[in-house]
Amino acid sequence: MIRNIVFDVGSVLVQVRPLEALVDCGFDRARADAVIGATFGKVGWKELDRGCLSKEDAIAALKEGLDPGLQADVDFFFEKAVWNFVKPFPYSRRWLSSLRERGYKVFIL
């Protein structure tokens, strides 16, 4: 009998939207793409996501070797845009609530 349900968050319960978050903060598409290219998929980002690096250490690792302007944009991303980075899907809250109401324990990775 299933009693516990474990969800991944990204692309399951929330939409991951870094480009839109940066554009919402006033970045043009090229500049936003540059920031995304300097962060996502890079070792520092993956290690932060896994919980193996602190935010500060991950940012330092991501900024290593970047030109100063892009370093400042990476800082801005983590200070401001990251708060608008994910958006819950419309169904997420109802879905989780209905599972809990039916007696399931719900966990999020």
Side-chain angles (χ1 to χ4, degrees):
M1 179 174 179
I2 297 173
R3 295 184 193 147
N4 302 308
I5 301 174
V6 180
F7 285 98
D8 186 17
V9 176
S11 300
V12 177
L13 298 175
V14 299
Q15 177 185 17
V16 180
R17 45 186 298 282
L19 177 66
E20 293 86 350
L22 288 165
V23 169
D24 290 348
C25 289
F27 283 52
D28 63 33
R29 176 69 189 249
R31 189 171 162 207
D33 283 339
V35 174
I36 291 167
T39 54
F40 289 93
K42 302 294 183 183
V43 173
W45 182 268
K46 291 177 181 178
E47 293 301 299
L48 174 65
D49 194 43
R50 287 181 13 163
C52 296
L53 276 181
S54 69
K55 178 180 160 186
E56 293 76 19
D57 289 342
I59 292 169
L62 292 168
K63 289 177 13 180
E64 193 171 301
L66 298 178
D67 69 68
L70 191 51
Q71 287 182 9
D73 288 344
V74 169
D75 283 334
F76 179 88
F77 175 75
F78 279 96
E79 291 170 14
K80 306 284 186 199
V82 75
W83 301 110
N84 196 24
F85 179 80
V86 296
K87 182 178 179 183
F89 287 117
Y91 60 79
S92 297
R93 187 175 301 245
R94 284 189 320 268
W95 190 21
L96 294 173
S97 294
S98 72
L99 290 170
R100 286 190 297 253
E101 287 169 4
R102 293 181 359 221
Y104 294 104
K105 291 184 180 178
V106 177
F107 300 91
I108 298 174
L109 292 175

